[in-house]
Structure formats: structure tokens, C-alpha cells
Amino acid sequence: ISKQRGSIDYAIPRFLHYDGSFDASSGERMTVSTLLPDGLHVDTNNNQHFRHWTILVYLNDCNASGGTTFPLALRINHDESVSKNLSQDEPTTYASYTAKRAADHLIFDKDVQHTRITRDDDEDVLKMGKEIEDLAVQLFLADNDDSLKDKQESAETGVRVMPKCGHICLFSTPTENGFPNPRSFHGGEVLFQGEHKNLLSFFFEIPGDTFSSRFEFGQLAKKREDDFLKWHNIDC
């Protein structure tokens, strides 16, 4: 919940607690439904497009599970010159390309912000959502399998934020045109038995009475982000 007092924005946090449920010693294969019990989504507050920033404050460490996954997020060292004319012989890169196309289609063409949404008139929505979720599984497996680490480290996309006590995860949902950023699809990974996760979540919103169109909302978000980066002397 975000509030505004005068010209100052502030947020009331929610405390969240999760207990581990997955038996990592069982030999069970990690699947989409196991890794992402709630799927992936972008933070639009149930299609109300005024949410700007999400901030997660982790209150304890998690070792191998319980991360916040962003399967389409670009890494800082990504190569923007990589050709989009990719072949099936490059599974990781090709998968990230097709998943990004699926995310674009969900956001811009279908106005869908959750990979598990069901629509009786469009079965392709769930198929496209699964393409993005499959990429999250690849990312998880690569981070937990030494034989796949080199391949994953060379990939363009995919970020898992592992909980560390006192650390924060801050991300923005809208682009400067006011649409949700398809690369902000994210979700909470399952926790292994014996682990738990405590965190605070903050949602900063742009007051609805300060803009009259999606584009104006995007421009306000961009200005806020530019001011934030300038204030903290961040160059990206």
C-alpha cells in the first residue's frame, strides 16, 4: 500500500513468511509446477496500472531455494548485438528469445499479466506463459548444476535474487510508454524443506490523480527513475 503525504511518497510494508515444502532429497525432478507454485507475473495490482516500484527486503538468508526469479531480466553484461535470427542449435539463447516474444504477446496483445491466467477462449495464453516459466526452470537448474554453470553464465538473460538478510531487491514494472515491462515477469521459487523465508514487501505507486493516460503514467515513472539514478549516482 502506498500513501502520499504532501509531496512525499511513503509505503506501508507487508510482512511475509514462507516455510519450505519441497523435499530436495526425494529425487523428484524439478518442474514448472514444483518450482513456481504461483507462476510468474508483473506487478500491476490486478491490472490497475499505477504501481511503479516493488521493493523486497529480505530478513533472513536462504541457501539454495526461495529465490525471486526474473527469467527475462537482462544482465548488466548482456550483449545487445546478439542476432535475433537464432537457431534451435542454441537452446538457451533461443529459449530466451522465444520466451521474450511470448511475454511481449501476453502484455501488449492480450493484456495479460500472469502466466497462470485461464481464458476459455484462448488456450495459447497458458502456452505462452509456460514458455516463460520453462526459462525460469532452466535458470534454476543451471544455478544448481555445476555442469551447466558455464552455459548459464554466458546467457543474455535470467537473474535469480537469493534472499540475504538485510539485502533488498528493487525493480520497476512500467516502461516509459506506460505498459508493463515484459522483462519484469517474476515469481517466488519454492523453498526446500528446512528452509524458511521472511521478508517485507513495499509497493510504490504513482497516484492516479496525477496522470490522465497510460503514456503520462509512463513518463512520470521514467522521471522518477531518472531522478533516483541521478540521486544515487548510478550509471546504467
Side-chain angles (χ1 to χ4, degrees):
I1 302 171
S2 90
K3 304 286 186 182
Q4 191 173 46
R5 180 178 296 163
S7 60
I8 301 174
D9 289 339
Y10 66 99
I12 301 172
R14 289 191 306 161
F15 173 77
L16 301 171
H17 170 82
Y18 301 95
D19 288 313
S21 60
F22 181 75
D23 183 1
S25 64
S26 67
E28 180 183 347
R29 180 173 173 268
M30 185 62 74
T31 63
V32 165
S33 59
T34 303
L35 178 66
L36 301 168
D38 298 317
L40 300 168
H41 63 280
V42 294
D43 281 346
T44 59
N45 195 22
N46 297 319
N47 291 14
Q48 300 299 313
H49 299 281
F50 48 78
R51 182 167 291 171
H52 182 199
W53 278 327
T54 298
I55 302 176
L56 306 178
V57 181
Y58 299 112
L59 304 180
N60 67 286
D61 294 359
C62 291
N63 295 321
S65 65
T68 305
T69 184
F70 297 81
L72 291 171
L74 287 173
R75 299 181 178 186
I76 291 176
N77 61 349
H78 77 278
D79 184 0
E80 293 185 353
S81 66
V82 173
S83 171
K84 291 184 178 180
N85 184 21
L86 304 171
S87 70
Q88 293 282 1
D89 295 330
E90 303 171 284
T92 300
T93 306
Y94 183 80
S96 65
Y97 171 60
T98 56
K100 175 58 168 56
R101 288 186 63 184
D104 288 347
H105 192 53
L106 288 178
I107 293 293
F108 300 123
D109 298 330
K110 298 293 185 180
D111 195 27
V112 170
Q113 291 87 39
H114 201 295
T115 57
R116 300 284 174 85
I117 193 169
T118 56
R119 285 185 172 179
D120 294 336
D121 61 339
D122 195 346
E123 294 182 2
D124 287 343
V125 168
L126 287 176
K127 293 179 181 178
M128 287 184 285
K130 189 174 182 303
E131 285 193 48
I132 311 170
E133 293 176 345
D134 284 340
L135 198 63
V137 174
Q138 290 184 30
L139 182 62
F140 174 86
L141 294 176
D143 275 357
N144 288 278
D145 186 335
D146 290 338
S147 67
L148 299 174
K149 281 189 181 296
D150 290 342
K151 183 177 181 180
Q152 182 58 42
E153 288 173 358
S154 65
E156 306 176 271
T157 61
V159 175
R160 292 176 68 230
V161 181
M162 295 304 298
K164 297 290 182 184
C165 185
H167 287 202
I168 70 169
C169 173
L170 181 152
F171 57 95
S172 173
T173 294
T175 60
E176 61 184 73
N177 62 14
F179 283 89
N181 189 339
R183 293 196 182 277
S184 70
F185 267 105
H186 65 283
E189 297 176 346
V190 69
L191 279 159
F192 293 167
Q193 288 181 359
E195 288 203 290
H196 70 278
K197 180 168 68 174
N198 294 323
L199 70 154
L200 298 174
S201 66
F202 297 78
F203 301 113
F204 285 84
E205 298 168 348
I206 295 179
D209 59 0
T210 62
F211 60 91
S212 59
S213 68
R214 187 192 293 269
F215 179 76
E216 287 184 5
F217 166 66
Q219 292 300 297
L220 288 172
K222 184 178 186 304
K223 182 181 185 306
R224 179 185 277 185
E225 290 174 19
D226 289 344
D227 290 344
F228 174 84
L229 294 174
K230 182 179 179 180
W231 177 266
H232 292 279
N233 196 27
I234 299 173
D235 183 20
C236 65

